[in-house]
Amino acid sequence: MRIGNIIIDRKIFITLLIIFVVVTGLVGYSYLNSDLSSALAINVDDKVCVQENLNDRLRCLSTPDNMKSKYISDRNGVNFSNISSNTNGNGLYTLSSTVGDTYPVSYYRGSVTNNNVKFGGFCWKIVRTTDTGGTKLIYNGVPDGNGYCTDPDTSNSLITSYYAHAMSPAYIGYMYGDVITRKSTPVSNYYFSSSFSYSQEDDLYTLTNPVNDSSLAASNHYSCLGDGTSCQILRYIFYEKESTFYYIELTGEDSVTTALNKMLFNSSNTTNSRLKDTIDSWYLTGLNSYEPFLEDTVWCNDRSITDYGTWSPNGGVLANTYTYFSTYTNVTNGIIDLTCPANDSFTVSSQNGNGKLTYKIGTLTVPELYLAGLIYNTGNTTNYLTTPFSWFTMTPSFIGYDNTLAFFVDSNGKIDRMGYGRDQRGVRPAVSLRHEVVLTGGDGSSTNPYTVDLPFTPSQVSYAKPGSFTTTYDSSTLSMNVDLTTSGGWEYIIKPLSVKKGKNYRISLDYTISNDYTGYSSFSGIGLQVVDSTLSYITTANSGTTGTLNEVRITNNRYLSNTAGTYSETIDFTAGEENYFIINCGMAGDDQTINFKISNFYIREI
C-alpha cells in the first residue's frame, strides 16, 4: 500500500489504523458493561468498525446493495427476483432506498454464518436493522451443550402451530375482528344478479334484473338461493367447484365489498390468530423478563388486496381464480416494500402502529425473506434462514375457495404460497432489539455468538447537597472527586430505558470499589434508590435506616477501610409514570476520591 512516497505493508497499516482509532477515540462509542477491545472487528474487506452499539456496528460493516462488489457481479446491484448467491449477494448490505434515512436498513443475505446472537437464553439470527434504529432477530433454537448456536433442528428448537382457523378470509389476520364464514350448496338454477337494492324499513335485499340460470352465476354473484328474488340474508357466491357453490351470507345492507372491509381492512383486531397465541405463549416462557431490551417495531400483516378475483362484485368467473394479497403481487414482480398499512402494522403502542399487541414480538414477512435471498417457488438450501422444517411467515398470500392462505418457507428454502391456515407448521418468533443495545462479546459465529446488553447513560446531578464536586465518566468506571466542607456526597441519576406503569420490576446493581476511603468515619457507603420524576423516593435497597421521604438512605453501610470490594444491590418496585434510579454516596471530608466500576445494571420484569 502506497501513502505518498512511502510503501507500507497492508497488515501493518491496518494495525496502525486500529491503534489510532482506539487512542484518539475518533470512531466508536463507550458504554458500561463492555470492553472497547472486544468491539473491534475487521470484515472480509478489511473494514475497521469499533462501534459497540449493535445497530451502528451493522451499518458500519454493511456494503451498498445497488452496486457491484465482492459478492455482487451485476453493476446494478442485488437482483431480488433471484436467490442469493456468491454473485447475487452474500453478506451484510445496506438497502439503497433507505441510505438517506436517519436509520438506513442493513440486512444479512445469503449463506452467512456470522450473524448469530445469544440473547435471553436462546439463539438468534440477525436479519436486518429497522428504520427506527433497532435490530431484528429471528429465533434459531437453543444453545447446545457447549453453549454454541448451531443450526436449528427439530429435536431442540421446533415450535409448531396452525396459522388460524379455516373457513373465513378473516382468519388470515394475525389478529382479526368480524368473521363471516363460508358455506356451500349444490349448484342449482336459483335467481342470480350482479347487484341489489336494500330496504332498511323492511330489512330486505332485492335482486336487480335477476336471471334464473346457474350458468350465468359467473357474472351474477348475488343470490337469495331458495328464497326467490328478495331475502333478508343475501348470499355472495365466490367460487364454484365440483357442482358446488361456495358463498358467504350478507345482512344489514352489506355487500361483498363491505363484508371484506369488515373482515380484512377495518376490523377491530380483537381476536388472536392461532399463530399469535403460539408466539405469545412462547414469549411468556422466559423472554418476557427481557422486555426492556426490545423495541416496539412494526410487525406487518399486510392484508391489502391487488387482485380481487371472484371476490369482486364484477368478477366474471367462479372457478380457478383467486384473490391475491398485495405482497404476492409485489414480490413476484421483484418489488420489495417494507411499508405496511396502518391497520396491519401490529405494535404495542398506538403511536407507531395499531397498538393491538401485548408483547413486542412477531415473526418475519415475505419482503424480509426476499432481502435475505429467499424467493417464491425456488429453493435455496444454503441460505441462513433455511431450516430442516417448514415455517410460517406473517404474510397472507391469497384467498381460495376453501381457505385463506399464508406464505411459508419449506425445508429447501423455498417460499411457498400454499400455507393453509388449517395446516400445522413450524413457527420462528422474531424480536427487535432497541437501538441502545450494545455488544458485550462474541464474533457472530455459531461457536462464539454475539452477546448483548443494555447500557445506561448516567447524567450527573446535584440536588440539596452542599459543596461542589466533579465527575469523570470513563467507559465503565465512575471516578468521583469530592470537595465538601460539610456532610454530603454525590449522586448519579439514571433514567430507565423501558418500564411500564403498574408493572413490577427488579433492578440489580453490581459494582466494585477499587480504592479505600479511610479519611473520615463519616463515610456512610454507596447505595441505590428508586425515585419518581420529582426525585421523591419510591423505594430503596436500604439496610437498617428507616428514614423519611427525601432522606438519603444508604444500603449495606460500609465504614472506613471496609469500603473496598465488590457489592450487589437489588430493589423490587412497582413502576409509576416516570421513574429514575439513583446511585449515591454519603460522605464528608476534603478532596477525597471514591472510584468504583459498575459491572452490571439490569432491569427485569417480575
Side-chain angles (χ1 to χ4, degrees):
M1 177 178 291
R2 180 181 295 273
I3 301 178
N5 294 320
I6 303 174
I7 298 176
I8 301 178
D9 180 85
R10 183 179 181 82
K11 291 183 179 178
I12 295 175
F13 173 76
I14 292 171
T15 302
L16 292 173
L17 178 60
I18 293 174
I19 294 172
F20 172 77
V21 167
V22 173
V23 172
T24 62
L26 291 180
V27 180
Y29 304 93
S30 193
Y31 290 104
L32 299 183
N33 306 329
S34 49
D35 180 355
L36 187 60
S37 62
S38 70
L40 293 174
I42 303 175
N43 75 353
V44 293
D45 298 315
D46 293 338
K47 183 183 294 184
V48 179
C49 295
V50 298
Q51 289 89 341
E52 295 181 31
N53 174 281
L54 178 58
N55 181 283
D56 292 342
R57 171 77 76 87
L58 297 177
R59 181 168 52 181
C60 174
L61 290 172
S62 64
T63 301
D65 69 356
N66 61 344
M67 59 186 293
K68 186 176 181 179
S69 59
K70 184 172 183 179
Y71 293 109
I72 301 176
S73 61
D74 192 321
R75 64 192 181 113
N76 295 316
V78 171
N79 180 355
F80 293 111
S81 295
N82 294 331
I83 64 171
S84 58
S85 67
N86 283 341
T87 59
N88 193 36
N90 185 30
L92 178 61
Y93 299 95
T94 301
L95 186 62
S96 59
S97 61
T98 68
V99 168
D101 296 348
T102 302
Y103 296 108
V105 172
S106 301
Y107 61 93
Y108 278 97
R109 180 176 174 87
S111 56
V112 292
T113 59
N114 61 343
N115 60 336
N116 295 280
V117 176
K118 188 155 58 174
F119 164 66
F122 302 105
C123 294
W124 307 81
K125 291 281 190 180
I126 302 174
V127 177
R128 70 175 182 96
T129 62
T130 69
D131 60 3
T132 49
T135 303
K136 189 171 285 190
L137 315 177
I138 187 170
Y139 174 71
N140 203 50
V142 295
D144 62 18
N146 296 314
Y148 300 160
C149 287
T150 55
D151 290 337
D153 57 49
T154 55
S155 63
N156 74 350
S157 61
L158 182 60
I159 306 165
T160 60
S161 176
Y162 301 96
Y163 190 101
H165 303 282
M167 310 296 284
S168 174
Y171 293 133
I172 199 61
Y174 192 59
M175 295 177 71
Y176 52 87
D178 295 341
V179 175
I180 304 174
T181 57
R182 65 109 170 162
K183 297 184 177 182
S184 62
T185 187
V187 170
S188 183
N189 287 328
Y190 303 113
Y191 285 97
F192 306 92
S193 177
S194 61
S195 61
F196 61 86
S197 61
Y198 177 76
S199 169
Q200 289 187 339
E201 182 178 352
D202 301 321
D203 186 22
L204 194 67
Y205 290 93
T206 300
L207 300 178
T208 303
N209 300 321
V211 294
N212 187 17
D213 185 346
S214 62
S215 66
L216 299 177
S219 56
N220 294 271
H221 292 240
Y222 290 109
S223 176
C224 289
L225 297 183
D227 296 331
T229 60
S230 295
C231 49
Q232 289 185 318
I233 299 177
L234 185 64
R235 286 79 171 181
Y236 181 84
I237 302 169
F238 63 87
Y239 205 85
E240 178 185 341
K241 183 177 182 180
E242 297 175 353
S243 299
T244 301
F245 282 143
Y246 294 88
Y247 65 90
I248 59 171
E249 293 183 338
L250 307 172
T251 59
E253 203 174 3
D254 276 352
S255 65
V256 63
T257 302
T258 54
L260 284 174
N261 283 340
K262 286 181 177 181
M263 289 187 288
L264 298 174
F265 312 134
N266 298 317
S267 71
S268 56
N269 288 321
T270 55
T271 305
N272 289 347
S273 64
R274 290 182 176 182
L275 180 66
K276 183 176 182 297
D277 276 338
T278 299
I279 290 174
D280 285 357
S281 295
W282 181 85
Y283 177 86
L284 289 172
T285 61
L287 199 64
N288 65 320
S289 62
Y290 291 87
E291 190 271 343
F293 286 76
L294 305 181
E295 76 158 351
D296 189 15
T297 194
V298 169
W299 302 99
C300 185
N301 178 225
D302 189 351
R303 289 170 280 186
S304 57
I305 292 176
T306 52
D307 183 355
Y308 279 82
T310 58
W311 284 84
S312 168
N314 300 316
V317 292
L318 283 178
N320 301 321
T321 62
Y322 302 103
T323 298
Y324 290 102
F325 292 99
S326 62
T327 299
Y328 178 89
T329 304
N330 285 341
V331 297
T332 52
N333 288 295
I335 300 172
I336 308 302
D337 187 1
L338 296 178
T339 63
C340 192
N343 186 62
D344 298 332
S345 297
F346 283 89
T347 56
V348 173
S349 170
S350 57
Q351 293 182 345
N352 59 324
N354 62 20
K356 296 297 182 179
L357 295 184
T358 304
Y359 310 112
K360 300 174 183 177
I361 190 168
T363 190
L364 296 188
T365 65
V366 166
E368 292 170 327
L369 304 185
Y370 266 70
L371 290 179
L374 302 182
I375 67 172
Y376 171 65
N377 215 28
T378 301
N380 190 350
T381 57
T382 62
N383 190 275
Y384 78 90
L385 286 176
T386 301
T387 65
F389 52 87
S390 64
W391 48 279
F392 275 119
T393 73
M394 202 168 169
T395 305
S397 58
F398 68 96
I399 301 173
Y401 80 96
D402 63 345
N403 214 321
T404 305
L405 297 91
F407 285 103
F408 71 94
V409 179
D410 72 10
S411 58
N412 292 313
K414 177 183 73 176
I415 300 176
D416 196 314
R417 70 178 187 174
M418 300 295 287
Y420 286 89
R422 62 173 178 252
D423 292 344
Q424 189 173 44
R425 300 188 185 279
V427 178
R428 299 182 70 183
V431 296
S432 187
L433 299 178
R434 60 187 302 140
H435 184 260
E436 294 87 348
V437 164
V438 295
L439 293 168
T440 58
D443 59 15
S445 65
S446 61
T447 57
N448 189 23
Y450 288 128
T451 55
V452 296
D453 202 353
L454 279 178
F456 68 86
T457 306
S459 56
Q460 176 258 312
V461 298
S462 174
Y463 69 96
K465 294 294 181 186
S468 63
F469 58 91
T470 60
T471 65
T472 59
Y473 176 52
D474 176 22
S475 186
S476 52
T477 301
L478 294 171
S479 179
M480 306 300 178
N481 302 298
V482 184
D483 179 11
L484 297 172
T485 56
T486 60
S487 62
W490 49 258
E491 296 172 345
Y492 242 75
I493 188 168
I494 306 132
K495 184 173 182 178
L497 294 173
S498 177
V499 295
K500 294 181 181 179
K501 181 180 179 181
K503 294 281 188 179
N504 295 317
Y505 294 89
R506 174 170 296 158
I507 57 175
S508 301
L509 172 69
D510 301 329
Y511 59 92
T512 299
I513 300 176
S514 58
N515 66 316
D516 252 355
Y517 175 80
T518 59
Y520 295 87
S521 61
S522 58
F523 173 69
S524 54
I526 292 175
L528 177 67
Q529 291 93 32
V530 181
V531 300
D532 62 21
S533 58
T534 65
L535 301 181
S536 298
Y537 285 93
I538 296 173
T539 185
T540 179
N542 180 46
S543 85
T545 59
T546 56
T548 58
L549 192 66
N550 291 322
E551 176 185 353
V552 176
R553 307 187 202 175
I554 305 301
T555 76
N556 302 325
N557 295 327
R558 305 185 236 293
Y559 298 95
L560 300 175
S561 61
N562 295 325
T563 57
T566 300
Y567 305 99
S568 296
E569 312 290 355
T570 300
I571 292 181
D572 293 345
F573 72 102
T574 301
E577 284 286 353
E578 191 170 21
N579 307 276
Y580 296 82
F581 308 132
I582 288 180
I583 304 168
N584 68 50
C585 173
M587 60 186 298
D590 298 324
D591 298 320
Q592 301 298 326
T593 299
I594 296 293
N595 295 322
F596 71 100
K597 179 177 181 178
I598 298 174
S599 55
N600 289 302
F601 184 82
Y602 293 116
I603 309 170
R604 298 283 186 269
E605 186 176 346
I606 56 175

